[in-house]
């Protein structure tokens, strides 16, 4: 979580510097006063990116001594190594009716999926692979630092960011998970981040 939090703030800080330069340059070129200005701005509006609509379903039965692969939709897949679940267990995947929403600074890359076992719990870890498009992040941004995977926590009723990193291999986001629940890959909501930072900068310039 610490690594992801630091990455989040580095991203916001970088975006803030770029916007500050742009806004200051614009203000100067248009003759706007930044000293003693009475300009006021309203409170930032928080919006949440909606989850993509999907009603995908799939299932697979665990066989003793075999790896189990279950489609996640869109080319994604859940991979259970041999011994990760009891033989005969059915692994089900559904993307219908995801709960809640991600943080306002995050935007889902693909529909959330709910993964469940018909009996028992996951032993060890499973691998989830979600499809990834380079267009999901702006040019010049390192995709690895701009993506994450969250799971829905039933007790707090919120989406919680993983404490460990996801990685990108080819066109897939790959992450190892210790349990099954709702899972969703995301990237920063660049428009929301930009709006928040520009709002803060404009308030700063107006109050100097």
């Amino acid at each position: 979580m610490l690594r992801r939090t630091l990455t989040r703030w580095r991203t916001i800080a970088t975006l803030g510097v770029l916007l500050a330069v742009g806004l200051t340059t614009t203000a100067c070129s248009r003759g706007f006063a930044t000293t003693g200005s009475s300009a006021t701005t309203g409170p930032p509006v928080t919006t949440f990116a909606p989850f993509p609509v999907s009603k995908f379903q799939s299932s697979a039965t665990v066989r003793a001594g075999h790896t189990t692969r279950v489609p996640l939709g869109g080319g994604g897949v859940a991979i259970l190594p041999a011994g990760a679940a009891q033989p005969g267990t059915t692994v089900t995947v559904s993307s219908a009716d995801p709960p809640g929403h991600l943080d306002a600074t995050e935007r889902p890359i693909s529909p959330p999926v709910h993964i469940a076992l018909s009996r028992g719990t996951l032993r060890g870890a499973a691998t989830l692979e979600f499809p990834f498009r380079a267009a999901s992040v702006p040019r010049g941004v390192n995709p690895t630092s701009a993506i994450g995977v969250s799971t829905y926590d039933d007790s707090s009723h919120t989406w919680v960011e993983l404490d460990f990193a996801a990685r990108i291999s080819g066109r897939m986001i790959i992450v190892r998970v210790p349990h099954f629940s709702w899972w969703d890959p995301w990237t920063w909501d660049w428009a929301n981040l930009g709006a928040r930072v520009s709002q803060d900068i404009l308030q700063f310039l107006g109050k100097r």
Side-chain angles (χ1 to χ4, degrees), residues 79-148:
I79 305 172
L80 287 71
Q86 300 177 33
T89 297
T90 300
V91 187
T92 59
V93 172
S94 173
S95 62
D97 302 320
H101 50 72
L102 296 175
D103 184 86
T105 60
E106 299 165 0
R107 177 172 55 82
I109 293 176
S110 63
V113 291
H114 184 264
I115 311 173
L117 300 176
S118 62
R119 58 179 176 176
T121 57
L122 182 65
R123 302 169 180 169
T127 300
L128 304 184
E129 297 185 1
F130 296 99
F132 171 76
R133 295 182 301 108
S136 298
V137 300
R139 289 185 179 182
V141 175
N142 180 357
T144 302
S145 66
I147 57 99

Side-chain angles (χ1 to χ4, degrees), residues 9 19 26 35 38 41 44 71 85 132 183 206:
W9 286 110
L19 282 171
T26 300
T35 302
S38 60
T41 56
F132 171 76
W183 293 95

